[in-house]
Amino acid sequence: MQAAVVPTLGAKLEIQQLPVPEPGPGQVLVRMEASGLCHTDIHAAHGDWPVKPTAPFIPGHEGVGVIEALGPGASVHRVGQRVAIAWLGSACGTCSYCLSGWETLCESQQNSGYSVNGAYAEYAVADDRYVVTVPDAVSSFDAAPLTCAGVTTYKAVKVSNLRPGETAVIVGIGGLGHLALQYAKIFGGRVIAVDLEDAKLDLARQLGADEVVNARTTDPVEAIRALGGADVAISLAVSPRAFEQAYGSLRRGGRLVCVALPADDAMTVPIFDTVLSGKSIIGSIVGTRKDLQEVFDLHAAGRTEVIAQPRKLIEVNDCFEEVLSGRVPARLVFQF
Ligand code: NAD
Ligand code: ZN
Ligand code: ZN
């Protein structure tokens, strides 16, 4: 099979011919139809984060395809079913987090395309219990970005406790942000979109943003305060400065939800203002299998729109450059 492999951290990816993996106990073998490029895959290949993947490895955690074989004991799914392989590759199923609906916090979890091989390949094996069935009404092409960008931002809006009529600022209208703003609208928010690129802000308008702010040409904190301030700010831009600006745009009682994971791993927040203004700072990591089912159901019901462009896996290095340059309208998806 063809696969894109990170040979060593920081190196360009290599297209290699590898044997099709065998599904082990409790695993399924998935023939990939579509595989999204999340900015996380770039962080993974670059070794940007404190906990690093072990090279060589195959990135990718927005994999959608058809089950071709079952490993011994796999009994949840059947051959021929279409499923999604998400960041949460597996979890223990028995710890207090797993038992309380917080499997995304499980300390024994494996992560697709990071601690185990992922979806930048014609085939991947995955845990039968943790792949999620894709409804017939959702194409594989659309399902791919929903599998990380969708579920992550849907969960971020949930944990923000956004209420109807409140103002939500979405910082960074990339793969995650273009879906985040749609979920914030579904939850009843008034949405202010922030990015550095006018093309992204035009897209945000098309997808329902009420206001847009270009943080390259305008001070976003002043602009958002002039619009009444944010009850919720969701930080999806890969820049600590953008996190600080998102915090600065909050009204009293406001909630900052941190989602992006810049290599530069620190932000400065004032203690005094956080205390006196009753502000919250919340971290949010992907979403559960149940959250992803809800994301698929919303899409099947016509409530969300996925903006993505198709690419070939052999173009992977150029695709990384495209994403880093800010030129991509939302998501790139490898088609097989
Ligand atoms: P992306 O590159 O598609 O989007 C980032 C967007 O931010 C771009 O539109 C860019 O123009 C914009 N931007 C950059 N600097 C900005 C600034 N200073 N102000 C405003 N906008 C700015 O990336 P993505 O795939 O959407 O991922 C975003 C981040 O989220 C990455 O760090 C990724 O690793 C992380 N992520 C986190 C989770 C999680 O569960 N917490 C899940 C998926 C991705
Ligand atoms: Zn992702
Ligand atoms: Zn667990």
Side-chain angles (χ1 to χ4, degrees):
M1 67 169 186
Q2 191 183 62
V5 177
V6 177
T8 51
L9 297 183
K12 280 203 183 309
L13 277 72
E14 290 174 0
I15 301 296
Q16 296 183 359
Q17 288 297 325
L18 299 174
V20 173
E22 290 270 330
Q27 288 187 323
V28 294
L29 174 68
V30 177
R31 180 172 45 77
M32 219 61 70
E33 293 189 342
S35 182
L37 192 176
C38 179
H39 204 121
T40 289
D41 305 329
I42 302 178
H43 295 306
H46 290 177
D48 274 347
W49 295 341
V51 178
K52 298 189 195 306
T54 306
F57 68 97
I58 301 171
H61 56 274
E62 288 187 346
V64 178
V66 175
I67 295 181
E68 238 181 48
L70 302 175
S75 58
V76 181
H77 294 91
R78 294 182 310 280
V79 170
Q81 273 188 316
R82 211 156 47 100
V83 293
I85 301 174
W87 174 254
L88 189 72
S90 64
C92 80
T94 54
C95 72
S96 63
Y97 300 113
C98 284
L99 290 177
S100 59
W102 283 100
E103 62 199 29
T104 52
L105 302 183
C106 176
E107 295 190 58
S108 308
Q109 69 185 273
Q110 297 290 341
N111 298 119
S112 312
Y114 207 87
S115 66
V116 294
N117 278 335
Y120 282 19
E122 288 174 306
Y123 289 87
V125 290
D127 192 308
D128 178 34
R129 296 162 307 164
Y130 285 84
V131 296
V132 173
T133 305
V134 180
D136 290 343
V138 179
S139 70
S140 296
F141 185 77
D142 281 5
L146 294 172
T147 295
C148 182
V151 74
T152 297
T153 53
Y154 179 65
K155 187 66 160 193
V157 172
K158 274 189 175 178
V159 301
S160 78
N161 194 24
L162 179 66
R163 292 183 291 270
E166 286 191 327
T167 296
V169 171
I170 309 297
V171 184
I173 307 299
L176 268 61
H178 92 285
L179 287 158
L181 81 87
Q182 298 179 62
Y183 297 124
K185 292 298 291 184
I186 289 171
F187 275 69
R190 164 187 176 242
V191 170
I192 304 175
V194 182
D195 205 290
L196 304 174
E197 311 293 334
D198 282 334
K200 308 242 183 193
L201 297 173
D202 292 344
L203 175 66
R205 282 262 192 222
Q206 279 170 39
L207 294 172
D210 299 281
E211 309 281 351
V212 300
V213 173
N214 187 323
R216 205 194 294 285
T217 54
T218 318
D219 177 348
V221 175
E222 273 178 31
I224 294 163
R225 286 202 175 151
L227 291 166
D231 299 293
V232 163
I234 302 187
S235 193
L236 309 169
V238 192
S239 146
R241 174 104 185 92
F243 279 71
E244 291 165 5
Q245 291 171 332
Y247 174 92
S249 72
L250 294 176
R251 312 171 61 206
R252 291 190 164 211
R255 290 88 74 193
L256 170 66
V257 184
C258 301
V259 177
L261 291 157
D264 191 358
D265 190 27
M267 66 171 164
T268 302
V269 293
I271 297 168
F272 189 83
D273 179 50
T274 304
V275 174
L276 268 77
S277 302
K279 294 179 177 176
S280 307
I281 300 173
I282 304 163
S284 190
I285 177 76
V286 293
T288 62
R289 292 166 287 179
K290 177 68 168 56
D291 293 317
L292 182 52
Q293 282 172 357
E294 292 172 18
V295 159
F296 285 152
D297 287 346
L298 280 170
H299 196 70
R303 303 289 301 276
T304 51
E305 194 179 338
V306 170
I307 306 295
Q309 289 186 351
R311 290 288 185 275
K312 294 199 177 70
L313 191 60
I314 50 167
E315 301 169 319
V316 61
N317 289 304
D318 293 338
C319 293
F320 276 23
E321 291 306 318
E322 269 187 89
V323 171
L324 290 171
S325 72
R327 275 182 283 132
V328 174
R331 224 17 157 209
L332 297 180
V333 174
F334 302 116
Q335 281 191 310
F336 295 87

